[in-house]
Amino acid sequence: MRAPISVIIPTLNAVDTLPDCLAALMEGLDSGLIRELIVSDGGSTDATGATALAWGAEVIHGAASRGGQLQRGCAVAKADWLMVVHADTKLSPGWARIVAAHLGTTKAGWFKLAFDQGGVPGNLVAGWANLRSRFGLPYGDQGLILPRMLYEGAGGYKDQPLMEDVALARALKGQLVGLPVYAVTSPAKYQSQGWMRRGGRNLWTLGRYFFGTSPEVLAQSYRRGR
């Protein structure tokens, strides 16, 4: 019997974080859950691709658009379940047992956000993210696992540079459940930009998206604000 899960990881110059992400996934390989690791790269100029290959992942290449990268990765995946994890995220120990139990359902599962050494600000941001997710809006940095049939029925990831995770979550309304696994994410972006500043920008960007601003315009504004 073939392993049930294809893992898709979007990357762009992720050589510093990808090894820890992949190391955390090894318990899924050891337990027979993971059929393949797919790294969907968006044009890295560092050793991301070579690192992924060294860990036994398949690497596919394309334009640097997270939605497009995830779309391409899911398109080549062969397993019945798809699990998306960002390159700067590590799943907490014991995740494989919990995910294995979830495979007996037909729903999509999201993981609880936590920050590596985020302190009080990180706990507050993660707490808000996990509360938001309970109302059906998990972000991509929390990870996602779902049956291929559900993914395809929801229309899959859109080839857009921003908010691809929100678009899919909205399409999966009523089919999302939280799993007691932590997606431990690097706080580097928040620390470099300021916890309140980045959190506020994220909320502002989400609001503009809900009111109809295109992902392309949002991505341009987001890049200017870095």
Side-chain angles (χ1 to χ4, degrees), residues 9-226:
I9 306 171
T11 58
L12 182 62
N13 294 329
V15 69
D16 291 334
T17 59
L18 185 59
D20 286 344
C21 172
L22 294 171
L25 292 170
M26 289 301 107
E27 69 174 76
L29 283 169
D30 293 340
S31 62
L33 280 181
I34 295 178
R35 178 172 177 176
E36 58 188 348
L37 298 169
I38 300 170
V39 168
S40 185
D41 192 65
S44 293
T45 55
D46 62 8
T48 294
T51 300
L53 291 171
W55 279 84
E58 174 186 358
V59 181
I60 61 174
H61 301 276
S65 166
R66 181 165 283 171
Q69 289 172 238
L70 289 171
Q71 185 184 82
R72 291 190 294 271
C74 291
V76 302
K78 301 179 181 68
D80 293 332
W81 283 74
L82 308 173
M83 187 165 81
V84 174
V85 181
H86 285 185
D88 61 353
T89 296
K90 301 173 290 186
L91 298 185
S92 57
W95 70 264
R97 174 182 53 81
I98 295 166
V99 165
H102 180 71
L103 298 183
T105 77
T106 58
K107 293 193 173 185
W110 51 269
F111 308 130
K112 295 181 179 181
L113 184 67
F115 287 98
D116 183 12
Q117 300 178 350
V120 172
N123 291 338
L124 291 173
V125 171
W128 155 246
N130 295 327
L131 178 62
R132 181 196 65 228
S133 300
R134 290 186 179 184
F135 291 94
L137 201 61
Y139 281 1
D141 54 5
Q142 292 170 251
L144 186 69
I145 179 164
L146 73 170
R148 176 186 294 278
M149 290 183 63
L150 181 59
Y151 170 80
E152 293 175 350
Y157 283 105
K158 307 301 182 185
D159 187 358
Q160 56 191 59
L162 207 65
M163 294 290 159
E164 80 292 332
D165 47 359
V166 173
L168 182 57
R170 294 174 83 182
L172 291 170
K173 184 178 180 180
Q175 299 294 320
L176 286 157
V177 297
L179 301 180
V181 173
Y182 282 96
V184 183
T185 299
S186 169
K189 294 176 182 178
Y190 281 90
Q191 290 173 336
S192 64
Q193 299 175 24
W195 287 93
M196 294 299 293
R197 179 170 179 264
R198 183 176 175 89
R201 285 181 59 231
N202 287 346
L203 281 174
W204 174 240
T205 301
L206 179 64
R208 292 177 66 196
Y209 178 70
F210 280 166
F211 280 99
T213 304
S214 74
E216 290 74 22
V217 171
L218 291 174
Q220 291 174 4
S221 299
Y222 205 79
R223 285 192 291 267
R224 285 197 300 269
R226 287 180 179 175

